[in-house]
Amino acid sequence: QVQLVESGGGLVQAGGSLRLSCEASGSGFSINDMGWHRQAPGKQRELVAHINSGGLTNYGDPVKGRFTISRDNAKNTVYLQMNSLKPEDTAVYYCKAIISHSGTAYQYWGQGTQVTVSS
């Protein structure tokens, strides 16, 4: 059984920084793509950042130039460095991973971590 465990959310003032982490736990799997999405109250879930197995990244327009996604394949972990945070970045952030095991690819989501940016 594969689980995604997120950490690093919290409360920060506008202009501040936070770093989110998401570790995939379990055994007998390989991780393909990883990414972060977020959902603010009353809004749809949106892509924040994505990184594929080769390290190629893409970002949602609202976070370009401020957020950086990275991964440590040895630790089965993806990170999201968030700088110059704005109140509109307030949301629940979800880790997502495409993980292969037993010859099949599956999509997994983390439980979500709250990020609150005060003005």
Side-chain angles (χ1 to χ4, degrees), residues 47-80:
L47 171 71
V48 175
H50 172 270
I51 184 167
N52 70 8
S53 56
L56 186 65
T57 61
N58 68 284
Y59 297 89
D61 287 341
V63 307
K64 285 181 179 176
R66 300 187 296 122
F67 291 10
T68 302
I69 189 170
S70 61
R71 62 191 286 173
D72 184 334
N73 292 329
K75 296 182 178 180
N76 293 328
T77 300
V78 63
Y79 304 97
L80 185 68

Side-chain angles (χ1 to χ4, degrees), residues 23-68:
E23 180 182 0
S25 63
S27 61
F29 63 86
S30 62
I31 303 176
N32 303 327
D33 297 355
M34 302 187 83
W36 292 92
H37 290 66
R38 68 186 182 186
Q39 188 166 18
K43 295 188 176 181
Q44 289 189 330
R45 191 173 295 191
E46 64 175 358
L47 171 71
V48 175
H50 172 270
I51 184 167
N52 70 8
S53 56
L56 186 65
T57 61
N58 68 284
Y59 297 89
D61 287 341
V63 307
K64 285 181 179 176
R66 300 187 296 122
F67 291 10
T68 302

Side-chain angles (χ1 to χ4, degrees), residues 12 20 54 84 86 91-92 95 99 105 107 116:
V12 65
L20 305 183
S84 302
K86 305 175 181 179
V92 178
C95 174
I99 295 175
Q107 177 176 285
T116 302

Side-chain angles (χ1 to χ4, degrees), residues 71-111:
R71 62 191 286 173
D72 184 334
N73 292 329
K75 296 182 178 180
N76 293 328
T77 300
V78 63
Y79 304 97
L80 185 68
Q81 179 66 44
M82 305 185 292
N83 298 329
S84 302
L85 282 161
K86 305 175 181 179
E88 50 264 44
D89 294 318
T90 296
V92 178
Y93 284 69
Y94 296 92
C95 174
K96 174 184 166 182
I98 306 299
I99 295 175
S100 294
H101 57 88
S102 303
T104 304
Y106 300 88
Q107 177 176 285
Y108 289 87
W109 290 93
Q111 79 284 0

